[in-house]
Amino acid sequence: MIIALKPGVNIEEVKKLTADLENLGVKIDASQGSSQIVLGLVGDTTVINDDALRANHLIERVIRVQEPYKRANRIFHPLDTVLEFPGAKIGGSSFTLIAGPCSVESRDQLVAVAEAVKKSGAAFLRGGAFKPRTSPYSFQGMGCEGIDLLVEAKKATGLPVVTELMEISQLELFEDIDMIQVGARNMQNFNLLKELGRSRKPILLKRGMASTMTELLMAAEYVMAGGNSQIVLCERGIRGFDNFTRNILDLSIVPALKKKTHLPVIVDPSHATGLSWMVPAMSKAAVAAGADGIIVEVHNDPEHALCDGEQSLTPGQFDSLMGVLRKYAEIEGKAI
Ligand code: PEP
Ligand code: MN
């Protein structure tokens, strides 16, 4: 249930109203909109008498929310959520570029890619240290050593870093990591989501490969219910019947999410297509669809990459893409 208050209401009276509602057993999230306060009520709202509320002199509108996601719902929080990092933002009027290798492979590789993407204008460095691989015989990532190298690259370039956490026991290693990725395979690992709700680290939540938009938003809701609302949603392609591309990039989820939620939405054209030559076209399309950024795989030597070489751009290709995206972002009224 949403309660929109009248503009300019007396704060003491609002406190009394929220206390009365909390006594009925619901939790309240208050958010300040551009001109009025909006109260989001979560919990069993069947005990609340809508008509009595509508008669209250503080209240302009009472809306019952149909969707199962509440805290992630734009009705609860009409303004865009913007995540702030040292030297970078995600959401609002920014278009944010996250770039780096699929996996951290060595100091030389990571430093070369980090310096190159920074020079081109990327705002974040990505790189997997713990890798979810389909085969147990494939490279599983450098683990803790990979995390150390990411932190080194962050210090050397000043770029904030994002990397995937596969299980909660790894959380203590992520202290100097700026944003924690929850991969497609873990999107519905509810215990993990609950634990991340207790953390105050920003979360990059990737869409599961067979998940609906509501399921993605409910996964975000798990994290938000724990008190962590620093979440970025990521469309990374879903399973389809045609295997020409690695996945099917569902770009239509971008405007749909932007309508339904206040959380920032980014696109991963690398995992969506699996083919580096398609990444520029799909990146441009992501800007046009209204995304708040993209996460792109870049490798200094794609032919010898230990993971996802076929979908990785070279630093030169990434640099050209940046030039084009700046113009596209400008048309959309966003700044890179
Ligand atoms: C990745 O970002 O390298 C990755 C494994 O992503 P996803 O979870 O989308 O497959
Ligand atoms: Mn990858």
Side-chain angles (χ1 to χ4, degrees), residues 102 126 131-132 164 181 183-185 206 236 268 271 297:
C102 176
R126 65 147 287 149
K131 293 302 304 176
E164 180 164 353
Q181 175 171 320
R185 292 154 191 82
K206 297 189 96 177
R236 45 78 73 204
D268 176 345
H271 291 89
E297 288 188 344

Side-chain angles (χ1 to χ4, degrees), residues 21 24 65 68 101 118 145 165 172 226 239 324:
L21 291 167
L24 295 172
V65 180
K118 160 138 194 185
E145 216 187 314
L165 175 134
E172 59 185 15
R239 278 282 157 83
V324 178

Side-chain angles (χ1 to χ4, degrees), residues 167-183:
E167 53 168 296
I168 204 66
S169 63
Q170 294 161 353
L171 188 59
E172 59 185 15
L173 301 168
F174 280 58
E175 202 165 314
D176 296 320
I177 299 298
D178 299 275
M179 181 157 60
I180 298 175
Q181 175 171 320
V182 173

